[in-house]
Amino acid sequence: MSDIELGPGKRARAAYSFDEIAIVPSRRTRDLEEVSISWQIDAYKFELPFISAPMDSVVSPETAIAIGEAGGLGVLNLEGIWTRYEDAQKQLSDMAKLSEDKAIRKMQEIYSAPIQPTLIKERLAQIRAAGVTVAGALSPQRTAEFHKAVIDAGVDIFVIRGTTVSAEHVSEKTAPLNLKKFIYELDVPVIVGGCATAQGALHLMRSGAAGVLVGFGGGSAHTTKTVLGISVPMASAVAEVASARRDYLDESGGRYVHVIADGSVGSSGEIAKAVACGADAVMMGSPLAKASEAPGKGWHWGLEAHHGQLPRGNRVQVGTVGTLNEVLTGPSNTSDGSMNLFGALRKSMATCGYSDLKEFQRVEVVIQP
């Protein structure tokens, strides 16, 4: 990417969002039945290339099970309402009734309750009993404190997700999480993020991560760009991290680390563009919050919304468009890309003549005004 001079001594790179690119069909088309969108990370194979964002408005133990049965990976937020309260449904119902001016303050109160390791075990055991892949997420700050309870509960895939996760966190007050040592000592694949540059991704890959999350989870419920001034145009970020994956593949002698787009993936077209830029899978929040089974009851929010000192998100009303299965695999009764998300991905691949995800990563893209 070419640099642009902002002023004397300060340059910036040009970068592009999903809205600014488009996929170009090739000379070949293909029957839908000949297109595979399955995805495998470590020993776990999924019919749909997506992971749910670990948000209380998106994933409950019940919806994690439903997502697993539908072919994706449901990731439970292990520092949310489900691990703080026995009766999580009451808290969710109360939050759905909050007025806009009181929402963040009340959410800060609700989330001030302590996390209970026994509830971590109970919620994950409930998911495991259903026979689907079990995944849970903690922030980097909580990982050292609660990871043992998570592993003891029998998680299959562990997610460490924050606004940005670094393999070189610096602190003069506390011993930071040694990510490489931590991952090495675990017996389960770990997905880590967010990151947005090739250098940052390489550090996470070298730490032993099975997958890296690209982006800062920024979507409809986040205000990180407004509060901190931090943002990432996702098309360029995914492409850059995908280039780091290629470099690391050579460096490590063949170890493949999965690139997962996390943020600005709100419609079926953006899923296709994420894969076209090099993603192996996507992490989604708001599209799933629109399902009738979603625990947010038509509302959506992330961890940043109830931060105790500096909230960086809102509780937004996203409404309901259909059942979880309709959102994921149809049928759709809308034309806005909010339903049959992965039927649309399959259609995009077939229209361009590609048979699987790794092939589709090579599709031509153009910058559109």
Side-chain angles (χ1 to χ4, degrees):
M1 291 182 287
S2 60
D3 284 357
I4 300 170
E5 185 174 356
L6 296 179
K10 193 66 174 181
R11 302 187 69 83
R13 291 184 298 165
Y16 302 97
S17 67
F18 290 140
D19 285 342
E20 296 173 295
I21 67 165
I23 297 168
V24 180
S26 67
R27 62 180 175 84
R28 181 185 294 114
T29 56
R30 190 177 295 273
D31 285 345
L32 280 172
E33 294 75 15
E34 296 181 5
V35 175
S36 170
I37 58 172
S38 64
W39 172 59
Q40 181 166 339
I41 181 168
D42 205 84
Y44 303 97
K45 185 173 182 178
F46 305 95
E47 292 305 310
L48 305 178
F50 91 94
I51 305 174
S52 71
M55 297 176 168
D56 286 343
S57 57
V58 175
V59 183
S60 64
E62 291 80 11
T63 54
I65 293 167
I67 289 168
E69 292 174 342
L73 177 62
V75 183
L76 189 68
N77 173 19
L78 298 179
E79 50 191 274
I81 289 176
W82 303 98
T83 57
R84 296 175 192 260
Y85 296 92
E86 287 279 358
D87 187 0
Q89 291 291 353
K90 180 183 183 304
Q91 304 300 323
L92 290 164
S93 296
D94 290 346
M95 288 175 60
K97 301 171 186 175
L98 293 173
S99 60
E100 186 175 346
D101 60 325
K102 297 180 179 178
I104 289 181
R105 184 179 296 275
K106 183 60 178 179
M107 289 168 67
Q108 288 174 320
E109 294 177 10
I110 290 173
Y111 281 92
S112 67
I115 298 168
Q116 302 181 45
T118 55
L119 285 179
I120 292 178
K121 182 176 180 180
E122 289 176 15
R123 305 306 190 194
L124 293 177
Q126 181 182 346
I127 300 171
R128 178 167 296 282
V132 300
T133 304
V134 183
L138 290 171
S139 64
Q141 296 83 358
R142 298 282 192 174
T143 294
E145 184 178 0
F146 293 109
H147 78 275
K148 189 175 186 304
V150 176
I151 300 304
D152 288 347
V155 72
D156 295 317
I157 296 176
F158 189 42
V159 178
I160 302 175
R161 183 177 187 257
T163 298
T164 182
V165 176
S166 165
E168 297 183 0
H169 180 68
V170 178
S171 174
E172 296 181 356
K173 297 182 179 179
T174 60
L177 176 68
N178 186 325
L179 195 60
K180 186 172 184 177
K181 180 175 183 292
F182 174 78
I183 292 176
Y184 179 78
E185 292 176 349
L186 294 179
D187 291 328
V188 301
V190 179
I191 296 172
V192 185
C195 68
T197 65
Q199 184 179 34
L202 270 173
H203 279 280
L204 296 181
M205 292 173 184
R206 289 166 180 161
S207 74
V212 294
L213 300 171
V214 184
F216 305 138
S220 60
H222 291 250
T223 59
T224 297
K225 180 178 180 180
T226 300
V227 177
L228 299 184
I230 296 174
S231 182
V232 49
M234 283 292 290
S236 293
V238 171
E240 183 163 331
V241 174
S243 73
R245 176 185 58 204
R246 291 191 296 272
D247 292 342
Y248 181 71
L249 193 67
D250 293 337
E251 174 188 307
S252 63
R255 182 173 181 268
Y256 189 92
V257 178
H258 293 263
V259 173
I260 302 162
D262 178 18
S264 300
V265 184
S267 68
S268 56
E270 287 164 346
I271 295 172
K273 291 179 184 181
V275 178
C277 288
D280 297 287
V282 297
M283 176 173 274
M284 299 187 301
S286 59
L288 304 182
K290 297 175 184 178
S292 57
E293 301 94 327
K297 306 180 190 302
W299 293 92
H300 181 49
W301 65 92
L303 286 172
E304 296 85 353
H306 51 78
H307 191 282
Q309 286 77 42
L310 192 64
R312 300 182 305 281
N314 294 317
R315 185 196 62 147
V316 297
Q317 190 165 24
V318 295
T320 300
V321 297
T323 67
L324 179 65
N325 283 329
E326 289 172 338
V327 168
L328 295 176
T329 56
S332 172
N333 53 32
T334 70
S335 59
D336 61 0
S338 64
M339 299 178 72
N340 199 3
L341 300 174
F342 293 96
L345 172 61
R346 191 187 301 272
K347 178 65 174 178
S348 181
M349 292 169 62
T351 300
C352 296
Y354 292 89
S355 61
D356 60 41
L357 295 171
K358 284 193 169 52
E359 281 191 0
F360 194 50
Q361 291 171 350
R362 300 195 295 267
V363 70
E364 182 183 357
V365 298
V366 293
I367 297 168
Q368 59 181 2

